[in-house]
Amino acid sequence: MPQIAAIICTHNRENYLGAAIDSLLAQECNDFEVLVVDNGSTDRTKEVIESRLSHPRLKYVYEPVLGLSVARNTGARETSAPILAYLDDDAEASSQWLRVLIEAYHSNEKLAIAGGKVTLIWSGGIIPPKWISPDMAAGLGAYDLGDRVVYIDKPSLTPRGLNYSLRRTFLEQMGGFDANLGRIGKKLLSNEELYMTELALQHGWQVAYLPDALVAHNVAPERLKPDWFWQRSWWQGVSECYREEVAGRTGIAQLGRGGERLLRGLYKALKYINDPAARFDNLAYAYGQIGYLTEVIKVMLGGKSSS
């Protein structure tokens, strides 16, 4: 039985997938396996994986039901490793990634979740637009809490899903990832990692940021357009509504919370009207609250959640 399983869940990312797999097969680690879960891809994903299947550590799994959380649960079932490390299909792991994770879990039996620093890869000499703030960069995957290990006590600081690991016993205790959270096709649902971190802290587990568990994330050109950020912010609001629903925090108070955040975003957009990055950041935040409030009202009226 391997100590750790590195799992890539992929859907139509043939251009980036090969580099992600290669970064895992080159790990400075002696006891691991790599699983690639093909989540209903229709491009050349299978060919990219099959061209590398001669490597003894690599395994291919096909999951036809769309959904990142569904694919993650499938990956967990397909391995017996006690530590599960998830890498996005458009990310590249540093050579010590798995070794750093293994050492952290072996030295702390209360550790349930761990993830590391994430830097961004700006492909093709792209220069980030001036309207992308540090918070917006976080929306592209950037994650940096410094150069020291941090034990996280706020779910909002949770490690990013593109560089994310869990102890199997914790994941099984929680019943796996919630299939209604996490990206599903073109629905940019999120908050599955935040919810897991919230559950871990509630149940007395620990969550750690490990700076040396470094991963780099490719920024696709289409994500450098305002429309992508508008869409992402909207779905972030929808995801937050669903997270509150499963946590039992629904009701009239949601209207107050969403309304207050909407007004705060609009106020700050006006306050920083001469700063393109801060202005856009706060407008997108406010737009996300409209998504949140729309979903809250829909659920309160007896409608079905978009998740």
Side-chain angles (χ1 to χ4, degrees):
M1 179 178 68
Q3 292 187 67
I4 191 167
I7 303 171
I8 298 175
C9 301
T10 187
H11 175 71
N12 290 345
R13 284 274 176 78
E14 60 176 284
N15 292 336
Y16 296 110
L17 180 60
I21 297 173
D22 292 343
S23 74
L24 293 178
L25 296 178
Q27 289 291 298
E28 299 169 354
C29 182
N30 295 322
D31 195 3
F32 72 99
E33 65 179 348
V34 178
L35 283 76
V36 182
V37 181
D38 179 357
N39 193 201
S41 296
T42 56
D43 61 358
R44 292 181 56 256
T45 286
K46 189 174 182 180
E47 294 174 46
V48 172
I49 302 167
E50 287 182 336
S51 69
R52 293 163 169 81
L53 275 179
S54 60
H55 197 292
R57 295 191 188 275
L58 183 61
K59 180 180 179 181
Y60 172 77
V61 180
Y62 185 76
E63 172 51 70
V65 179
L66 275 185
L68 177 57
S69 291
V70 171
R72 283 176 169 172
N73 288 334
T74 297
R77 287 195 301 270
E78 292 289 331
T79 179
S80 58
I83 305 169
L84 308 168
Y86 292 92
L87 180 76
D88 268 15
D89 53 7
D90 55 357
E92 299 172 29
S94 57
S95 60
Q96 76 274 13
W97 187 54
L98 293 181
R99 177 174 54 79
V100 171
L101 291 174
I102 288 174
E103 290 172 356
Y105 283 98
H106 282 185
S107 64
N108 182 359
E109 63 181 16
K110 290 187 176 181
L111 185 62
I113 298 169
K117 185 181 295 187
V118 180
T119 59
L120 300 181
I121 301 173
W122 304 95
S123 59
I126 293 174
I127 298 174
K130 292 182 179 179
W131 47 265
I132 293 185
S133 68
D135 282 346
M136 285 291 180
L140 297 171
Y143 179 61
D144 187 348
L145 299 183
D147 296 325
R148 295 184 179 182
V149 173
V150 176
Y151 283 96
I152 291 166
D153 57 5
K154 297 178 181 178
S156 60
L157 296 177
T158 185
R160 297 293 179 261
L162 66 95
N163 177 357
Y164 193 79
S165 68
L166 306 94
R167 191 183 296 273
R168 171 183 293 281
T169 50
F170 164 71
L171 183 64
E172 291 175 347
Q173 180 185 348
M174 296 302 109
F177 287 96
D178 189 320
N180 291 303
L181 286 174
R183 184 166 182 164
I184 304 173
K186 294 184 178 180
K187 290 184 176 181
L188 300 182
L189 290 162
S190 58
N191 278 10
E192 67 274 28
E193 295 91 21
L194 190 153
Y195 182 53
M196 274 298 193
T197 291
E198 192 172 48
L199 290 174
L201 297 176
Q202 287 174 359
H203 287 81
W205 291 88
Q206 292 183 348
V207 180
Y209 161 79
L210 309 171
D212 293 335
L214 179 66
V215 161
H217 187 230
N218 284 285
V219 179
E222 62 268 21
R223 295 187 178 186
L224 295 180
K225 298 177 180 178
D227 284 353
W228 186 85
F229 283 95
W230 291 124
Q231 184 183 22
R232 186 184 183 281
S233 294
W234 180 276
W235 282 106
Q236 179 67 29
V238 173
S239 300
E240 179 61 17
C241 176
Y242 181 77
R243 185 177 72 90
E244 291 181 346
E245 187 177 343
V246 296
R249 294 200 295 267
T250 57
I252 197 72
Q254 289 180 291
L255 297 178
R257 289 196 294 268
E260 188 275 331
R261 292 193 297 257
L262 172 61
L263 292 175
R264 187 196 319 154
L266 293 174
Y267 168 76
K268 287 188 174 181
L270 288 172
K271 181 179 179 180
Y272 297 111
I273 195 166
N274 294 319
D275 182 334
R279 182 178 69 241
F280 184 74
D281 190 352
N282 284 287
L283 282 174
Y285 175 80
Y287 185 68
Q289 301 315 309
I290 298 176
Y292 170 84
L293 289 167
T294 300
E295 196 70 8
V296 167
I297 293 170
K298 183 192 302 183
V299 173
M300 289 178 69
L301 292 176
K304 187 177 180 181
S305 173
S306 297
S307 59

